[in-house]
């Protein structure tokens, strides 16, 4: 009779190998990324422990947590031992991490440079697979009154409503605007359409004595500032 195989559940490991116990005794910082993800999924498959499985998943994305967060539920489920429930748990944890970064950026509410625009908006836009166009509405001291998504489009572009942009500015009492959109392709070079909409919005805002300070294009790791490059 062949030996019955059972899943390698965390509760069946020796205490030294159990991520939950390691976290309790040594703290979260003592765990590797694979051990932390292993706690999320709880068990591996018939041939791998949870840690071995998560090491393999992380290896598939070059051990990059940002890349892990981009995997879809279906992509996660291609790994033996990752069903829908485990895939959803991993996706939820990655999203919580992204939102935490966003909350930390919100604490900064004054624009001092294009770098501060990137710091505030990258958690919102940097990892999106589609393009979005946002407006940052500012008062006289360049403090953020509101951030507003104006449009959401496909990877090839997005439509911007000039009238809606200025209507919101007047309602908020904004005296300055910064335009922000992302390039999912990763390229920082502004397109002809990017330049055209910048000038169109700038001209329209100027007629209402509202300044356009910058247009910032954001990718996952960097940004392009129209103001910094003297293209405003």
């Amino acid at each position: 009779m062949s030996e019955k195989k059972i899943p390698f559940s965390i509760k069946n490991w020796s205490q030294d190998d159990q991520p939950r116990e390691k976290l309790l005794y040594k703290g979260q910082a003592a765990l590797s990324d694979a051990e932390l993800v292993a706690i999320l999924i709880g068990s591996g498959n018939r041939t791998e422990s949870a840690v071995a499985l998560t090491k393999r998943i992380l290896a598939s994305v070059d051990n990059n947590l940002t890349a892990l967060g981009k995997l879809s539920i279906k992509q996660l489920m291609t790994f033996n031992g990752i069903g829908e429930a485990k895939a959803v748990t991993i996706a939820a944890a990655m999203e919580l991490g992204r939102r935490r970064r966003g909350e930390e950026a919100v604490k900064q509410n004054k624009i001092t440079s294009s770098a501060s625009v990137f710091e505030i908006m990258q958690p919102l836009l940097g990892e999106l697979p589609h393009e979005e166009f946002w407006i940052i509405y500012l008062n006289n001291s360049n403090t953020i009154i509101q951030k507003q998504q104006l449009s959401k489009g496909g990877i090839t572009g997005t439509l911007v409503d000039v009238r809606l942009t200025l209507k919101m500015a007047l309602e908020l009492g904004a005296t300055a605007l910064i335009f922000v959109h992302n390039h999912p392709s990763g390229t920082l070079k502004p397109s002809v359409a990017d330049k055209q909409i910048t000038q169109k919005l700038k001209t329209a805002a100027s007629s209402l004595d509202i300044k356009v300070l910058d247009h910032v294009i954001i990718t996952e790791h960097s940004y392009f500032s129209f103001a910094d490059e003297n293209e405003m």
Side-chain angles (χ1 to χ4, degrees), residues 4-226:
K4 183 179 179 181
K5 294 181 179 180
I6 60 173
F8 284 83
S9 174
I10 287 175
K11 65 183 180 182
N12 294 325
W13 304 350
S14 67
Q15 185 166 312
D16 288 342
D17 293 333
Q18 293 182 12
R20 289 193 186 96
E21 281 68 23
K22 186 175 179 180
L23 188 150
L24 287 171
Y25 294 131
K26 297 184 179 181
Q28 299 95 308
L31 275 68
S32 66
D33 291 345
E35 288 171 326
L36 290 169
V37 179
I39 290 175
L40 294 174
I41 66 173
S43 63
N45 55 44
R46 290 182 177 274
T47 59
E48 294 175 299
S49 68
V51 172
L53 173 55
T54 54
K55 282 182 177 179
R56 187 159 57 87
I57 294 171
L58 285 167
S60 74
V61 291
D62 296 324
N63 294 301
N64 185 303
L65 290 177
T66 298
L68 177 63
K70 292 181 179 181
L71 294 182
S72 67
I73 301 298
K74 287 185 178 180
Q75 287 174 317
L76 287 168
M77 289 174 63
T78 61
F79 292 92
N80 182 26
I82 301 296
E84 185 177 83
K86 291 180 181 179
V88 167
T89 299
I90 294 172
M94 296 298 104
E95 177 62 16
L96 281 173
R98 188 190 69 80
R99 292 186 186 187
R100 181 181 179 184
R101 287 181 60 209
E103 286 182 355
E104 291 171 350
V106 166
K107 294 176 183 177
Q108 178 180 331
N109 64 354
K110 188 168 184 177
I111 299 298
T112 57
S113 65
S114 58
S116 62
V117 176
F118 177 73
E119 184 178 344
I120 290 168
M121 298 301 293
Q122 195 280 338
L124 294 174
L125 300 176
E127 299 173 18
L128 295 178
H130 58 271
E131 191 168 310
E132 292 187 2
F133 194 101
W134 286 63
I135 309 290
I136 301 177
Y137 297 92
L138 307 168
N139 63 17
N140 280 322
S141 62
N142 288 346
T143 297
I144 297 173
I145 301 173
Q146 184 169 307
K147 301 189 299 292
Q148 181 75 36
Q149 181 198 89
L150 193 63
S151 61
K152 177 179 178 179
I155 199 168
T156 57
T158 184
L159 299 176
V160 176
D161 190 324
V162 176
R163 290 173 297 178
L164 183 59
T165 301
L166 298 180
K167 178 176 180 290
M168 180 67 72
L170 293 172
E171 289 176 353
L172 294 171
T175 60
L177 308 174
I178 294 177
F179 312 135
V180 186
H181 81 281
N182 62 312
H183 277 180
S185 65
T187 179
L188 288 173
K189 184 178 180 180
S191 66
V192 173
D194 294 337
K195 295 179 180 180
Q196 289 175 339
I197 193 60
T198 301
Q199 290 306 314
K200 184 176 181 180
L201 284 166
K202 183 180 177 181
T203 299
S206 178
S207 68
L208 297 174
D209 292 325
I210 298 173
K211 296 178 291 184
V212 175
L213 301 180
D214 203 350
H215 183 173
V216 179
I217 298 172
I218 287 177
T219 63
E220 185 175 335
H221 301 294
S222 191
Y223 68 93
F224 175 94
S225 163
F226 277 66

